[in-house]
């Protein structure tokens, strides 16, 4: 049975999507892995694995969830303060549980991901994705500009000026607030 993902922002790169398993709804913190929307912890994990395309490769079980929570905390700290050496150490500790092996395929050179324990797979995948974002466009890893929002996104806009997790939600609220303030001044 597929469980619907209740989060307001999905589809970001896996590392940021993992961070976005915590969000605010009506001023209350929500956590996909801690009973948000009436889901059990494992159902929340199953919904996340499905939405990120990892469900076919990894199981939604308690051990996978524990490792994923470890990775989420490490990534949250690293994104909040890239200069934090202890955060980098935590991300490295997650990365210790997997590796990329070079292979030769019928199409030519290839790669295969290997894990010392498959329950580390989603956590390692998220940490590895974060490294790829840092290698490509580190300045485009952003937190929503809304003071009441905790979501993160990868800015893929042409000019790199995206500020909101969603124009339909946080961006619209900010525009409406500015409009209201202007009309009150008159």
């Amino acid at each position: 049975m597929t469980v619907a993902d209740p989060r307001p922002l999905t589809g970001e790169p896996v590392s940021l999507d993992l961070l976005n398993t915590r969000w605010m709804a009506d001023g209350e913190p929500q956590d996909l892995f801690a009973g948000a929307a009436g889901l059990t912890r494992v159902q929340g994990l199953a919904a996340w694995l499905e939405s990120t395309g990892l469900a076919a490769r990894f199981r939604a079980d308690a051990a996978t969830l524990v490792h994923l929570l470890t990775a989420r905390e490490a990534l949250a700290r690293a994104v909040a303060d890239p200069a934090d050496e202890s955060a980098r150490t935590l991300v490295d500790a997650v990365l210790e549980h997997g590796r990329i092996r070079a292979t030769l395929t019928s199409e030519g050179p290839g790669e295969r991901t290997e894990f010392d324990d498959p329950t580390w797979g989603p956590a390692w995948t998220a940490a590895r994705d974060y490294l790829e974002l840092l290698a490509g466009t580190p300045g485009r890893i952003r937190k929503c500009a809304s003071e009441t929002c905790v979501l993160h996104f990868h800015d893929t806009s042409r000019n790199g000026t995206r500020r909101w997790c969603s124009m339909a939600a946080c961006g619209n609220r900010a525009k409406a607030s500015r409009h209201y303030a202007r009309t009150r001044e008159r």
Side-chain angles (χ1 to χ4, degrees):
M1 175 178 113
T2 303
V3 177
D5 192 332
R7 297 177 297 143
L9 179 64
T10 59
E12 290 298 321
V14 174
S15 56
L16 302 180
D17 201 77
L18 177 58
L19 294 182
N20 292 341
T21 57
R22 291 189 282 209
W23 71 97
M24 299 296 286
D26 300 323
E28 295 294 321
Q30 305 291 311
D31 187 335
L32 186 64
F33 304 142
L39 301 176
T40 67
R41 294 168 58 93
V42 172
Q43 285 174 325
L45 172 58
W48 184 79
L49 289 171
E50 187 66 38
S51 74
T52 57
L54 298 173
R57 293 176 48 207
F58 305 109
R59 292 180 33 184
D61 58 24
T64 300
L65 181 58
V66 167
H67 301 318
L68 203 54
L69 291 172
T70 300
R72 181 174 73 177
E73 187 57 33
L75 291 170
R77 288 182 56 190
V79 168
D81 183 5
D84 181 354
E85 187 175 332
S86 64
R88 291 193 309 267
T89 300
L90 291 172
V91 172
D92 282 347
V94 172
L95 291 167
E96 286 290 324
H97 296 279
R99 66 180 175 170
I100 297 174
R101 179 179 293 277
T103 62
L104 180 60
T105 70
S106 58
E107 292 84 32
E111 294 179 340
R112 179 178 67 237
T113 308
E114 295 179 346
F115 306 103
D116 57 359
D117 174 354
T119 62
W120 276 98
W124 183 92
T125 300
R128 174 68 184 173
D129 176 72
Y130 179 62
L131 295 183
E132 290 173 7
L133 291 176
L134 287 176
T137 52
R140 292 200 173 203
I141 299 169
R142 307 241 170 91
K143 182 187 174 298
C144 181
S146 171
E147 292 178 12
T148 59
C149 186
V150 298
L151 297 175
H152 292 81
F153 61 90
H154 183 240
D155 183 0
T156 57
S157 66
R158 180 179 299 179
N159 58 4
T161 58
R162 180 177 165 193
R163 297 181 57 211
W164 316 107
C165 63
S166 164
M167 274 309 293
C170 291
N172 192 43
R173 279 193 291 275
K175 286 170 47 179
S177 178
R178 284 193 308 270
H179 174 73
Y180 178 73
R182 279 194 310 268
T183 59
R184 280 193 57 189
E185 290 173 358
R186 293 181 193 160

